[in-house]
Amino acid sequence: MLERNDLWNLIKFSMEQDLSKITFQTFVEPAKPLQLDKAQMTIEVPTQLHRDYWEKNLAAKFTDIAMQATNEQIRPVMITEEERQQLTRDNDAQATTGNVAGQQPTTATTPTFMRETKLNPKYTFDTFVIGKGNQMAHAAALVVSEEPGTMYNPLFFYGGVGLGKTHLMHAIGNKLLETDPTSNIKYVTSESFTNELINAIQTKKQEAFREEYRNVDLLLVDDIQFFANKEATQEEFFHTFNALYEDDKQIVLTSDRLPNEIPQLQDRLVSRFKWGLSVDITPPDLETRIAILRNKADLEGIEIPDDTLSYIAGQIDSNVRELEGALARVQAYSRLNNSPITTSLVADALKSLHLSSKLSEVSIPVIQEKVAKYFHVSMADLKGKKRNKQIVIPRQIAMYLSRELTESSLPRIGNEFGGKDHTTVIHAHDKITKALKTDPELQKAVGDLTGQLKS
Ligand SMILES: Nc1ncnc2c1ncn2[C@@H]1O[C@H](COP(=O)(O)OP(=O)(O)OP(=O)(O)O)[C@@H](O)[C@H]1O
């Protein structure tokens, strides 16, 4: 089945073709997909009026388009913003009053779309394609799933977006569950850890919160870069970490950067995160991208010739999530048009489904060229190693703009600047972001350049 956002984009795209501009803008644009289950998509709309309109006029259309795209019967369930807020309040009240002391609120009282993310059964070792950029991460994950809490604790994956960190993390959990279905596994994003903690503090359920976290066999925490600057969260996590570690329970963490590059992360956490093994995942090369697409196409029963797969893999080189999104869009496009997948259909699909905007986005070389010209420095210096101020500032600005205006991963940007490490890019971005708050000259330069690049 398509992912929620892919299906939603497709439905929007199709409705945009069918409905008048004003109807589309009034009723479809403000709608937000909250959750996709097997047979239904929960969609939030601003008011009761929107809800009525959807139920009378758009629900059947929705189901038709979803059927064509996925071959499954999916109905839209409309919920207004107010109803969602009420559900959240009810849920909070339930947490405060409705539970026996010490017990966590049960998921049965939680609206489905707000339930905490569980392990995704599709993210397994079987569905993970091994390539140069993820080989070591994959091997470490496998070891940890076979012998949790012994060899690499914590296991720390870092790297750019959409490169498989979450997938590997879930694969460890899924494998462990397969070996021992009674094992207690908890997966959270760092943001849900923080939210759960705040909730526990507000509802005076801190003990229950601790109990829950300190009794797991495997704790998976995704995207811990969002612990940055969160003192109370870090404090609580420090104790959770210690309790689990002392008990030989496995901890797996992911982040877009190394622990010591996360701003305002307490030193004691940084040092603990380094106790085990840190492995980076880098973007897949062309061969791996083709293999990932082939694997995905086979799993989903999509018929697609090899040269067409190579074409997609050649077009999309940013990350695996985009690659998968492109394949889903191509598949949906082929179903809607009732024609087989060929390279020319793919070219059309990517173009008409607005992916072309990604493909024609500002590129790093163009940014470099404009910045070099603006500051009268050579391209070689911009990409080189000279450390004098006249070169370093334009270089940092160019890196900053590459991060802001393109979808490129940090390692990729580093590569385009003469093979620099991704930490240099993070540093440049942070520095320029900070300086932009106070430095009018810099504000002007960045403003001018952005204007040039976007026009
Ligand atoms: N090597 C791979 N083989 C098969 N699928 C992959 C591979 N790498 C990534 N994917 C798929 O790409 C998508 C994005 O991967 P994932 O969510 O794990 O990325 P991530 O690194 O955690 O990104 P983020 O930092 O945005 O959370 C997922 O659907 C995942 O299954």
mmCIF file of all heavy atoms in Angstrom, residues 45-55 80-83:
data_model
loop_
_atom_site.group_PDB
_atom_site.id
_atom_site.type_symbol
_atom_site.label_atom_id
_atom_site.label_comp_id
_atom_site.label_asym_id
_atom_site.label_seq_id
_atom_site.Cartn_x
_atom_site.Cartn_y
_atom_site.Cartn_z
ATOM 1 N N VAL A 45 -10.301 18.408 8.922
ATOM 2 C CA VAL A 45 -10.723 19.587 8.160
ATOM 3 C C VAL A 45 -11.042 20.704 9.151
ATOM 4 O O VAL A 45 -11.318 20.431 10.320
ATOM 5 C CB VAL A 45 -11.958 19.283 7.271
ATOM 6 C CG1 VAL A 45 -11.574 18.484 6.050
ATOM 7 C CG2 VAL A 45 -13.041 18.551 8.054
ATOM 8 N N PRO A 46 -11.021 21.957 8.675
ATOM 9 C CA PRO A 46 -11.144 23.063 9.629
ATOM 10 C C PRO A 46 -12.500 23.153 10.331
ATOM 11 O O PRO A 46 -12.547 23.447 11.510
ATOM 12 C CB PRO A 46 -10.900 24.309 8.782
ATOM 13 C CG PRO A 46 -10.331 23.840 7.492
ATOM 14 C CD PRO A 46 -10.721 22.422 7.311
ATOM 15 N N THR A 47 -13.606 22.907 9.628
ATOM 16 C CA THR A 47 -14.916 23.134 10.260
ATOM 17 C C THR A 47 -15.904 22.026 9.905
ATOM 18 O O THR A 47 -15.665 21.202 9.020
ATOM 19 C CB THR A 47 -15.559 24.446 9.743
ATOM 20 O OG1 THR A 47 -15.880 24.230 8.355
ATOM 21 C CG2 THR A 47 -14.625 25.629 9.859
ATOM 22 N N GLN A 48 -17.064 22.095 10.596
ATOM 23 C CA GLN A 48 -18.138 21.148 10.353
ATOM 24 C C GLN A 48 -18.628 21.235 8.899
ATOM 25 O O GLN A 48 -18.951 20.242 8.261
ATOM 26 C CB GLN A 48 -19.286 21.494 11.332
ATOM 27 C CG GLN A 48 -20.471 20.585 11.289
ATOM 28 C CD GLN A 48 -20.127 19.204 11.836
ATOM 29 O OE1 GLN A 48 -19.338 19.102 12.779
ATOM 30 N NE2 GLN A 48 -20.672 18.157 11.235
ATOM 31 N N LEU A 49 -18.623 22.486 8.398
ATOM 32 C CA LEU A 49 -19.080 22.694 7.029
ATOM 33 C C LEU A 49 -18.187 21.939 6.027
ATOM 34 O O LEU A 49 -18.660 21.280 5.108
ATOM 35 C CB LEU A 49 -19.040 24.190 6.740
ATOM 36 C CG LEU A 49 -19.663 24.652 5.447
ATOM 37 C CD1 LEU A 49 -20.274 26.042 5.694
ATOM 38 C CD2 LEU A 49 -18.687 24.746 4.304
ATOM 39 N N HIS A 50 -16.890 22.019 6.266
ATOM 40 C CA HIS A 50 -15.963 21.275 5.409
ATOM 41 C C HIS A 50 -16.243 19.776 5.479
ATOM 42 O O HIS A 50 -16.225 19.065 4.500
ATOM 43 C CB HIS A 50 -14.515 21.504 5.851
ATOM 44 C CG HIS A 50 -13.975 22.853 5.514
ATOM 45 N ND1 HIS A 50 -14.296 23.974 6.225
ATOM 46 C CD2 HIS A 50 -13.121 23.256 4.535
ATOM 47 C CE1 HIS A 50 -13.674 25.012 5.715
ATOM 48 N NE2 HIS A 50 -12.954 24.614 4.681
ATOM 49 N N ARG A 51 -16.505 19.367 6.708
ATOM 50 C CA ARG A 51 -16.754 17.946 6.926
ATOM 51 C C ARG A 51 -17.988 17.479 6.138
ATOM 52 O O ARG A 51 -17.970 16.464 5.450
ATOM 53 C CB ARG A 51 -16.943 17.730 8.425
ATOM 54 C CG ARG A 51 -17.223 16.330 8.804
ATOM 55 C CD ARG A 51 -17.688 16.309 10.247
ATOM 56 N NE ARG A 51 -18.181 14.994 10.526
ATOM 57 C CZ ARG A 51 -17.843 14.300 11.590
ATOM 58 N NH1 ARG A 51 -17.075 14.817 12.498
ATOM 59 N NH2 ARG A 51 -18.313 13.101 11.762
ATOM 60 N N ASP A 52 -19.088 18.276 6.252
ATOM 61 C CA ASP A 52 -20.317 17.917 5.540
ATOM 62 C C ASP A 52 -20.069 17.881 4.036
ATOM 63 O O ASP A 52 -20.528 16.983 3.332
ATOM 64 C CB ASP A 52 -21.426 18.944 5.824
ATOM 65 C CG ASP A 52 -21.901 18.841 7.257
ATOM 66 O OD1 ASP A 52 -21.545 17.844 7.918
ATOM 67 O OD2 ASP A 52 -22.600 19.766 7.723
ATOM 68 N N TYR A 53 -19.339 18.875 3.562
ATOM 69 C CA TYR A 53 -19.092 18.937 2.124
ATOM 70 C C TYR A 53 -18.316 17.705 1.654
ATOM 71 O O TYR A 53 -18.649 17.077 0.647
ATOM 72 C CB TYR A 53 -18.313 20.213 1.769
ATOM 73 C CG TYR A 53 -18.195 20.395 0.272
ATOM 74 C CD1 TYR A 53 -19.155 21.117 -0.430
ATOM 75 C CD2 TYR A 53 -17.153 19.799 -0.455
ATOM 76 C CE1 TYR A 53 -19.074 21.264 -1.806
ATOM 77 C CE2 TYR A 53 -17.065 19.937 -1.828
ATOM 78 C CZ TYR A 53 -18.028 20.674 -2.498
ATOM 79 O OH TYR A 53 -17.952 20.803 -3.851
ATOM 80 N N TRP A 54 -17.308 17.369 2.440
ATOM 81 C CA TRP A 54 -16.522 16.183 2.082
ATOM 82 C C TRP A 54 -17.414 14.944 2.041
ATOM 83 O O TRP A 54 -17.350 14.155 1.113
ATOM 84 C CB TRP A 54 -15.391 15.968 3.110
ATOM 85 C CG TRP A 54 -14.075 16.492 2.650
ATOM 86 C CD1 TRP A 54 -13.605 17.756 2.798
ATOM 87 C CD2 TRP A 54 -13.052 15.759 1.951
ATOM 88 N NE1 TRP A 54 -12.354 17.860 2.236
ATOM 89 C CE2 TRP A 54 -11.986 16.652 1.710
ATOM 90 C CE3 TRP A 54 -12.920 14.446 1.510
ATOM 91 C CZ2 TRP A 54 -10.823 16.275 1.052
ATOM 92 C CZ3 TRP A 54 -11.761 14.069 0.851
ATOM 93 C CH2 TRP A 54 -10.735 14.984 0.623
ATOM 94 N N GLU A 55 -18.220 14.784 3.095
ATOM 95 C CA GLU A 55 -19.025 13.566 3.168
ATOM 96 C C GLU A 55 -20.020 13.480 2.018
ATOM 97 O O GLU A 55 -20.238 12.419 1.450
ATOM 98 C CB GLU A 55 -19.705 13.463 4.546
ATOM 99 C CG GLU A 55 -18.664 13.013 5.573
ATOM 100 C CD GLU A 55 -19.110 13.097 7.018
ATOM 101 O OE1 GLU A 55 -20.238 13.561 7.285
ATOM 102 O OE2 GLU A 55 -18.315 12.710 7.875
ATOM 103 N N THR A 80 -13.176 17.131 12.473
ATOM 104 C CA THR A 80 -12.872 18.566 12.449
ATOM 105 C C THR A 80 -11.737 18.846 13.431
ATOM 106 O O THR A 80 -11.472 18.050 14.344
ATOM 107 C CB THR A 80 -14.088 19.430 12.853
ATOM 108 O OG1 THR A 80 -14.421 19.101 14.201
ATOM 109 C CG2 THR A 80 -15.279 19.189 11.957
ATOM 110 N N GLU A 81 -11.141 20.006 13.224
ATOM 111 C CA GLU A 81 -10.031 20.392 14.093
ATOM 112 C C GLU A 81 -10.488 20.399 15.553
ATOM 113 O O GLU A 81 -9.787 19.927 16.441
ATOM 114 C CB GLU A 81 -9.592 21.792 13.663
ATOM 115 C CG GLU A 81 -8.212 22.149 14.100
ATOM 116 C CD GLU A 81 -7.834 23.527 13.580
ATOM 117 O OE1 GLU A 81 -8.312 23.908 12.490
ATOM 118 O OE2 GLU A 81 -7.111 24.224 14.281
ATOM 119 N N GLU A 82 -11.709 20.915 15.762
ATOM 120 C CA GLU A 82 -12.206 21.013 17.127
ATOM 121 C C GLU A 82 -12.393 19.626 17.740
ATOM 122 O O GLU A 82 -12.066 19.393 18.898
ATOM 123 C CB GLU A 82 -13.529 21.774 17.096
ATOM 124 C CG GLU A 82 -13.857 22.372 18.431
ATOM 125 C CD GLU A 82 -15.251 22.980 18.418
ATOM 126 O OE1 GLU A 82 -15.701 23.414 17.338
ATOM 127 O OE2 GLU A 82 -15.877 22.992 19.490
ATOM 128 N N GLU A 83 -12.917 18.710 16.927
ATOM 129 C CA GLU A 83 -13.128 17.353 17.455
ATOM 130 C C GLU A 83 -11.789 16.723 17.851
ATOM 131 O O GLU A 83 -11.679 16.025 18.847
ATOM 132 C CB GLU A 83 -13.801 16.486 16.393
ATOM 133 C CG GLU A 83 -15.282 16.764 16.251
ATOM 134 C CD GLU A 83 -15.868 16.159 14.974
ATOM 135 O OE1 GLU A 83 -15.104 15.909 14.010
ATOM 136 O OE2 GLU A 83 -17.080 15.948 14.950
#
